[in-house]
Amino acid sequence: MEFIDLKAQYKQIKASVDRRMQAVLDHAQFIMGPEIKELEDKLAAFTGSKHCISCASGTDALMLAMMALNIGAGDEVVTSPFTFIATAEMIALLGAKPVFVDICADNYNLDPELLARAITPRTKAIMPVSLYGQCADMDAINEVAGGIPVIEDAAQSFGAKYHGQMSCNLSTIGCTSFFPSKPLGCYGDGGACFTNDDVLATKMKQIRVHGQDRRYHHPVIGFNGRLDTLQAAVLLAKFDVFEQEIQQRERVATSYKKHFDAAVQTPRLRPYCTSVYAQYTIEVDHRDEVQDTLKSKGVPTAVHYPVPLHLQPAFAFLGQGVGAFPVSERAAQRVMSLPMHPYMPENEIEQVTAAVKECTQLSVTAAPGR
């Protein structure tokens, strides 16, 4: 059983992927070829955003967004401690300070009720993370932010909806990733920024090509953050079936929930949200034992994420130890992601759920003092 079956997907769209890639090989415009603009136009239209700026990775997308907002030394950026390190890593890399706010227990996203107390005169941006495929509560976050720019880290939620609007078009700038395992993934690294602000769009386009506005003229400092044309070709082929695959992901998630029947804590969607289920993440007791048992039964699992960022050695300088963000710390000890992809057959879903229910029951009975 595959955790994410990219080979099954490729078999479905092989002709389109091969044709798209061959076209790039034929015209040989491997950097900023015509597929880049075609992709950006399609993704902008999909999200309802005015601008899409493709880039080399989701990590670069965060960097582009913050550089466009002139974030640097002495600034603070508020974000979640329960996410992949890239979110806070880019803040620190620019010389700014990540300021963490704990998450909501039901959707693992930044808790807007705790946000106001984290804002100081040095706050230059707020960066909520739309984790596991469901958007953070962007209306509440934008309201608390006031005039402070909000960057949605939508690396896992591209294609999800919030109050009928698309992820990546819910704030000042939306950033996403096209890492191969994402709901819309290329065959390498890739990412994009989205905005409705003409000035920010122009600046991000300059920053991704070493800060230039025309050849050998550099009004701002930038870096090499371009998306390869070959990756754009792959994304164009995949985008043709993306909405169908979102529906298939919802099918898998619905089937999981039905088979679990409250045996474990399954993903909980807010009524105004949809999810693209970048991961299908449940909570279990005695996770290590459960994972070992599932592995022996041929069921792969993963943990996203086992150590909150405030407890990572790289952020020890912030001085926030165990107990600083209890909801994030509890989630980090309990979350476990199960196989999830659009082409997952029903018999595999049944195999996974049966195995999980069996071994969670075994781990409870075997636990000391029970």
Side-chain angles (χ1 to χ4, degrees):
M1 183 186 300
E2 299 283 348
F3 187 73
I4 298 170
D5 196 343
L6 295 177
K7 290 176 286 188
Q9 182 194 51
Y10 175 60
K11 287 176 184 175
Q12 297 288 325
I13 58 173
K14 182 180 186 303
S16 179
V17 170
D18 292 355
R19 175 178 57 80
R20 282 282 191 176
M21 293 188 76
Q22 187 61 54
V24 177
L25 296 173
D26 289 340
H27 66 57
Q29 297 178 55
F30 300 113
I31 302 295
M32 301 302 288
E35 285 80 3
I36 296 292
K37 185 177 187 309
E38 182 183 354
L39 177 69
E40 290 176 342
D41 288 347
K42 286 186 174 181
L43 297 184
F46 177 73
T47 61
S49 302
K50 191 172 180 183
H51 303 281
C52 168
I53 301 93
S54 63
C55 58
S57 69
T59 303
D60 281 0
L62 299 176
M63 179 75 93
L64 278 174
M66 287 188 284
M67 288 179 71
L69 293 168
N70 300 314
I71 292 169
D75 296 329
E76 295 178 352
V77 178
V78 181
T79 192
S80 164
F82 191 62
T83 178
F84 184 58
I85 195 169
T87 308
E89 180 183 41
M90 291 301 99
I91 298 169
L93 196 61
L94 288 171
K97 176 185 175 183
V99 175
F100 296 125
V101 168
D102 213 350
I103 59 173
C104 300
D106 65 336
N107 67 358
Y108 309 106
N109 290 328
L110 187 148
D111 187 342
E113 293 188 5
L114 304 176
L115 179 56
R117 70 187 72 168
I119 295 173
T120 76
R122 293 182 298 279
T123 304
K124 199 70 176 285
I126 297 164
M127 191 185 296
V129 181
S130 295
L131 203 66
Y132 299 154
Q134 178 178 191
C135 293
D137 194 348
M138 298 300 291
D139 284 352
I141 291 167
N142 286 330
E143 184 177 352
V144 176
I148 300 169
V150 175
I151 303 168
E152 183 193 9
D153 181 342
Q156 298 180 16
S157 62
F158 185 78
K161 292 181 181 178
Y162 173 85
H163 285 296
Q165 285 187 277
M166 302 302 295
S167 177
C168 291
N169 188 24
L170 302 170
S171 61
T172 315
I173 303 173
C175 300
T176 197
S177 168
F178 301 128
F179 187 77
S181 62
K182 303 299 184 190
L184 180 63
C186 52
Y187 290 164
D189 280 308
C193 295
F194 297 82
T195 188
N196 294 309
D197 186 305
D198 295 344
V199 174
L200 288 176
T202 297
K203 198 167 181 183
M204 286 188 281
K205 287 176 183 177
Q206 293 172 353
I207 292 168
R208 74 172 171 184
V209 287
H210 301 284
Q212 71 178 19
D213 59 355
R214 58 187 185 273
R215 192 165 177 81
Y216 299 128
H217 186 263
H218 307 263
V220 297
I221 295 294
F223 62 96
N224 180 4
R226 302 168 301 212
L227 179 69
D228 291 341
T229 311
L230 278 168
Q231 299 300 347
V234 172
L235 288 166
L236 284 164
K238 286 194 172 190
F239 186 68
D240 288 341
V241 297
F242 183 51
E243 292 191 73
Q244 299 166 37
E245 289 191 343
I246 292 173
Q247 293 173 4
Q248 287 293 89
R249 286 176 174 275
E250 290 173 343
R251 170 193 63 82
V252 174
T254 300
S255 185
Y256 263 138
K257 188 173 181 62
K258 179 187 73 175
H259 286 297
F260 277 128
D261 190 27
V264 296
Q265 182 174 312
T266 55
R268 292 177 287 192
L269 285 184
R270 299 283 177 90
Y272 44 81
C273 288
T274 66
S275 178
V276 289
Y277 297 100
Q279 288 84 29
Y280 189 88
T281 303
I282 63 173
E283 286 193 27
V284 293
D285 295 317
H286 316 292
R287 184 180 62 205
D288 291 348
E289 297 170 25
V290 170
Q291 283 192 286
D292 287 345
T293 307
L294 289 173
K295 185 178 180 181
S296 71
K297 294 175 178 291
V299 176
T301 60
V303 177
H304 306 93
Y305 298 92
V307 181
L309 298 188
H310 67 288
L311 299 180
Q312 291 286 356
F315 292 112
F317 70 91
L318 295 173
Q320 294 166 322
V322 174
F325 304 102
V327 184
S328 295
E329 291 167 27
R330 183 176 189 275
Q333 294 170 355
R334 293 176 48 81
V335 294
M336 181 179 73
S337 299
L338 302 176
M340 162 59 78
H341 59 88
Y343 303 97
M344 191 171 180
E346 185 67 20
N347 67 299
E348 287 191 359
I349 298 170
E350 292 174 4
Q351 179 186 344
V352 171
T353 51
V356 170
K357 287 195 285 188
E358 180 184 347
C359 64
T360 50
Q361 283 302 312
L362 285 173
S363 68
V364 167
T365 13
R370 294 192 183 185

